[in-house]
Amino acid sequence: MNMTQYMIGVDLGTTSTKVVLFDLHGQAVASANNPYPLYQDTPDMAEEDPAEIFDATITGLTEVLRRGHVRPSELQGVSFSAAMHSLILMDKDNAPLTRVITWADNRAAKYAEQLKDNDLGMALFKNTGVPTHPMSPMVKLLWLNAEHSDLVAQTTHFVGIKDYILFRLFGRYVEDDSLANATGLFNIHTMDWDEQALSLTHVQRAQLPELVDTTYQLRGMKSAYADVIGIDPNTPFIIGASDGTLSNLGVNAIDPGVLAVTIGTSGAVRVVTDKPVVDPQGRLFTYYLAKDRWVVGGPVNNGGIVFRWVRDQLFAPEKLTAEQLQIDSYELLTDIAAKIPAGADGLLFHPYLGGERAPIWDANARGSFFGLTRQHTRAHMVRAALEGIVYNLYMVMLMIEGITGKPQAIQATGGFARSALWRQMLADIFEQDVNIPESFESSALGAAVLGMDSLGLIDDLSAVKDMVGVTRTHHPNPDNFRVYRELLPIWIRLTRELGTEYAAIADFQRAHPDPNAHIAAED
Ligand code: ADP
């Protein structure tokens, strides 16, 4: 009988769990995407229900095995990717005392401010690699200790979402070094919990999961769940790593000098190094992926979500027309922007509509157009917005370049890659060739590849090269990059100069909220 071997990658995301069945060549054979709500009872809250994520995982596993007609003996293993920075408080009966407090939850903002730019904050950053920000579970613990001490007093374990799921399946609290790294409680130099962070947050080692490498295998899952899913309970579950680091693996950006640029709803720029390289200024993260592979980079709030705002607020009639004609409204807008020359005739846009993490780490940052004249049109504005999003990512790239050297190649992914104009802009502004990998759920693929490596099914992680092809390559256009070279210094200088006024305008906005508007959570 013909036996195919399969590997499953599970990606526990912020709004859904994606489960993908891959063959050992990295080809996706079946997939399932099960969403769940992000609870935002107040503007600063961003929580998920752990039980809903557990159910989405079990359902997804069951679905892909059924859709792929996989026999239990054909499944080599299941490997995990998970969103970073999640925190759940568990009680003595191993029941959750809280929902999952996600990276997007901002209620610890005040406690991040207190640590920012002081010696303690900097010392913690240098040892943990996590920028001081309310996303960090370490900072969330300071908030919980101060404002919810009743809950903390009942807590026997502080865990992340994947730890919770694995506990329910295997009855043990274990956490990989990669997700542990993202808690802000883990020392990247000793590869152990960080004593200073533990004492600051009053967390005991016994309250944290057991630390293991990202290739660690669990076997012997509870048979009731194995029966539901339809697998052998001894199928190896590989613990895996964080979604950001696995995304670099899944787009084949794991060699030194290969930059992964993502522009989806948000954005990120990341590169792999062979050692934990730390940004002396605290603006970039340093996260563990696997032995001798670390990911240095910056997360950006303002990616495609800003383009969506431009479409909805400046081009509402066009959006309606596109809907009526059943054409893609983003495509309609990029066609309009393509008629405007590179540099938008000197119109600059700072995309900080949702505050910003990297490169400026300023929750008070706000958006702006600069350089407007009567000659500028709405078409200039859309082009300037697309360029502004890329300028901002370029600034993150400059920071990475400063500590890891000039990038040699760019692998770019995310919704933006549907637009030829936007892809070319990235090549022109970065003055680099841009490859668009044919990536299907890059974090899930990264997890599957890490799982294959753990099981000895591939020689090493670089096997991903043969699994990820290139759909398109864009070369920088000299006419365009000369224009961008002139504009970029102005854009970057402005970012600094405007920075002094961001707090003032944000204070004004907070003091005079629009009673008709819902002000979304910012970070
Ligand atoms: P997510 O990060 O939530 O998974 P995507 O990677 O799909 O989302 O990115 C969504 C973003 O991609 C949208 O907000 C939009 O800015 C951008 N986008 C989607 N389609 C197009 C298109 N045809 N042209 C340009 N940009 C697009």
Side-chain angles (χ1 to χ4, degrees), residues 82 284 432:
L284 300 170
Q432 285 274 352

Side-chain angles (χ1 to χ4, degrees), residues 253-286:
I254 52 168
D255 289 334
V258 183
L259 207 62
V261 177
T262 307
I263 312 178
T265 302
S266 56
V269 186
R270 309 182 210 93
V271 72
V272 170
T273 55
D274 58 2
K275 290 189 275 304
V277 180
V278 177
D279 173 20
Q281 294 184 56
R283 305 154 309 180
L284 300 170
F285 56 67
T286 303

Side-chain angles (χ1 to χ4, degrees), residues 84-85 125 128-132 135 181-182 188 242-245 248 260 267-273 275-279 281-288 294-300 357-358 361 396 399-400 403-404:
M84 288 184 266
H85 314 301
F125 165 74
T128 64
V130 184
T132 307
M135 68 186 181
N181 186 169
I188 55 178
S242 68
D243 56 0
T245 59
N248 264 62
V269 186
R270 309 182 210 93
V271 72
V272 170
T273 55
K275 290 189 275 304
V277 180
V278 177
D279 173 20
Q281 294 184 56
R283 305 154 309 180
L284 300 170
F285 56 67
T286 303
Y287 293 145
Y288 179 74
W294 293 80
V295 179
V296 178
V300 163
R357 286 185 289 166
W361 295 97
V396 180
M399 290 170 183
I400 296 178
I403 61 169
T404 68

